[in-house]
Amino acid sequence: MLKKLIRAGKKLSRQLDPLEKEFESVYPMIDKVPGFLKSPQQERWFFRAAKKAPANAVIVEIGSFKGRSTVSFGFGCKGTQKHIYAIDLFEGDGKDYGQGEFQKVFQANVERCGLTEYVTPIKKHSLEVAKDWNKPIDILFIDGSHEYEDVKADFEAFYPFVRKKGIIAFHDIRGKWNGVIKYWGEVQKSGWLKDVGKVSSLGFGTKG
Ligand SMILES: C[S@@+](CC[C@H](N)C(=O)[O-])C[C@H]1O[C@@H](n2cnc3c(N)ncnc32)[C@H](O)[C@@H]1O
């Protein structure tokens, strides 16, 4: 009974929220892009995080695949100077992400959503990108390789660039992704992030 009331309360407050109306108007476009998100809660979280970010925010996404999380952020950037750097090898892995060159698919999805000007795709290994990186980051989203050492390396390489109070989010903090689960556990204990929260399999916090 209490759970039902809480759910109804949350639904009502979303219905009254202008940001939610905007999200609902763009969600059908987002939902045409294939990807690995838990819908529509996580897409909503990306959209709102981008909306609330500073006017010229830099968003770095490690692991863009065909662009579902990218366009979710992207709709939150529309009409602003905010920008997304979408890092991916764009070539699949022969198992979880299939095989083949999919940067064209990624770009077509971004273009169909009218978001090309807000997105710079970077077809490189994340750690290669980190070597030359020099911009302060407002939102860092880690969803590349899910192996423990790789998640840790991505976090350690980009964390120094995240602004104070910037947001850092990890995808797949539950389910079969033991590497992410283990590292997310360490991050939570470490105190590197404040105001930690989660939306289904998305874990996030702010740099203290
Ligand atoms: C889980 S998918 C990303 C899903 C995407 N965020 C979405 O919304 O659908 C992971 C992606 O990370 C890419 N990837 C894995 N390791 C990487 C690395 N070290 N550098 C760049 N991209 C990587 C893979 O090619 C794959 O496309």
Side-chain angles (χ1 to χ4, degrees), residues 33-37 46 61-70 72 87-93 96-97 102 122-127 129 141 143-146 150 154 171-172 177:
V33 181
F36 295 93
L37 304 181
F46 292 121
E61 171 178 83
I62 303 170
S64 304
F65 191 54
K66 295 182 181 170
R68 190 165 177 118
S69 47
T70 320
S72 305
I87 303 168
D88 202 298
L89 295 161
F90 293 117
E91 58 192 20
D93 62 354
D96 294 316
Y97 316 126
F102 53 82
I122 305 177
K123 184 176 165 45
K124 275 191 188 171
H125 192 285
S126 50
L127 299 183
V129 180
F141 174 46
D143 193 19
S145 162
H146 287 28
D150 297 332
D154 282 340
H171 198 231
D172 293 324
W177 306 107

Side-chain angles (χ1 to χ4, degrees), residues 1-19:
M1 180 66 183
L2 183 63
K3 274 190 183 163
K4 265 192 183 170
L5 272 175
I6 292 172
R7 264 205 301 274
K10 278 187 181 165
K11 196 172 168 197
L12 182 65
S13 79
R14 278 210 301 269
Q15 281 166 351
L16 296 172
D17 180 352
L19 264 194

Side-chain angles (χ1 to χ4, degrees), residues 79-91:
T80 73
Q81 298 298 311
K82 303 177 195 186
H83 200 83
I84 305 153
Y85 295 86
I87 303 168
D88 202 298
L89 295 161
F90 293 117
E91 58 192 20

Side-chain angles (χ1 to χ4, degrees), residues 29-202:
M29 298 282 282
I30 296 173
D31 202 28
K32 289 205 172 84
V33 181
F36 295 93
L37 304 181
K38 298 278 179 290
S39 308
Q41 311 95 302
Q42 297 187 342
E43 290 85 344
R44 177 185 289 119
W45 186 89
F46 292 121
F47 172 79
R48 295 179 80 98
K51 276 277 180 191
K52 289 178 185 167
N56 56 354
V58 167
I59 300 173
V60 172
E61 171 178 83
I62 303 170
S64 304
F65 191 54
K66 295 182 181 170
R68 190 165 177 118
S69 47
T70 320
V71 302
S72 305
F73 277 128
F75 279 113
C77 296
K78 220 165 182 178
T80 73
Q81 298 298 311
K82 303 177 195 186
H83 200 83
I84 305 153
Y85 295 86
I87 303 168
D88 202 298
L89 295 161
F90 293 117
E91 58 192 20
D93 62 354
K95 30 179 202 160
D96 294 316
Y97 316 126
Q99 198 70 55
E101 213 288 321
F102 53 82
Q103 189 173 356
K104 281 197 184 122
V105 177
F106 170 86
Q107 280 181 218
N109 287 330
V110 171
E111 194 181 331
R112 200 183 52 246
C113 292
L115 296 169
T116 305
E117 69 186 275
Y118 303 100
V119 179
T120 300
I122 305 177
K123 184 176 165 45
K124 275 191 188 171
H125 192 285
S126 50
L127 299 183
E128 281 297 308
V129 180
K131 274 189 208 153
D132 300 323
W133 191 262
N134 57 14
K135 292 180 177 52
I137 297 172
D138 296 280
I139 302 176
L140 172 66
F141 174 46
I142 299 176
D143 193 19
S145 162
H146 287 28
E147 298 298 324
Y148 171 82
E149 292 298 341
D150 297 332
V151 182
K152 181 174 191 288
D154 282 340
F155 179 84
E156 288 176 355
F158 284 94
Y159 182 81
F161 296 102
V162 178
R163 287 185 203 272
K164 201 162 185 243
K165 299 219 159 76
I167 296 173
I168 301 168
F170 292 82
H171 198 231
D172 293 324
I173 58 159
R174 67 182 204 201
K176 65 172 184 172
W177 306 107
N178 293 334
V180 188
I181 295 166
K182 181 175 171 202
Y183 193 63
W184 174 243
E186 289 175 17
V187 168
Q188 281 178 290
K189 279 191 203 132
S190 68
W192 294 321
L193 298 187
K194 293 205 167 112
D195 305 321
V196 170
K198 62 180 178 157
V199 174
S200 60
S201 63
L202 184 75

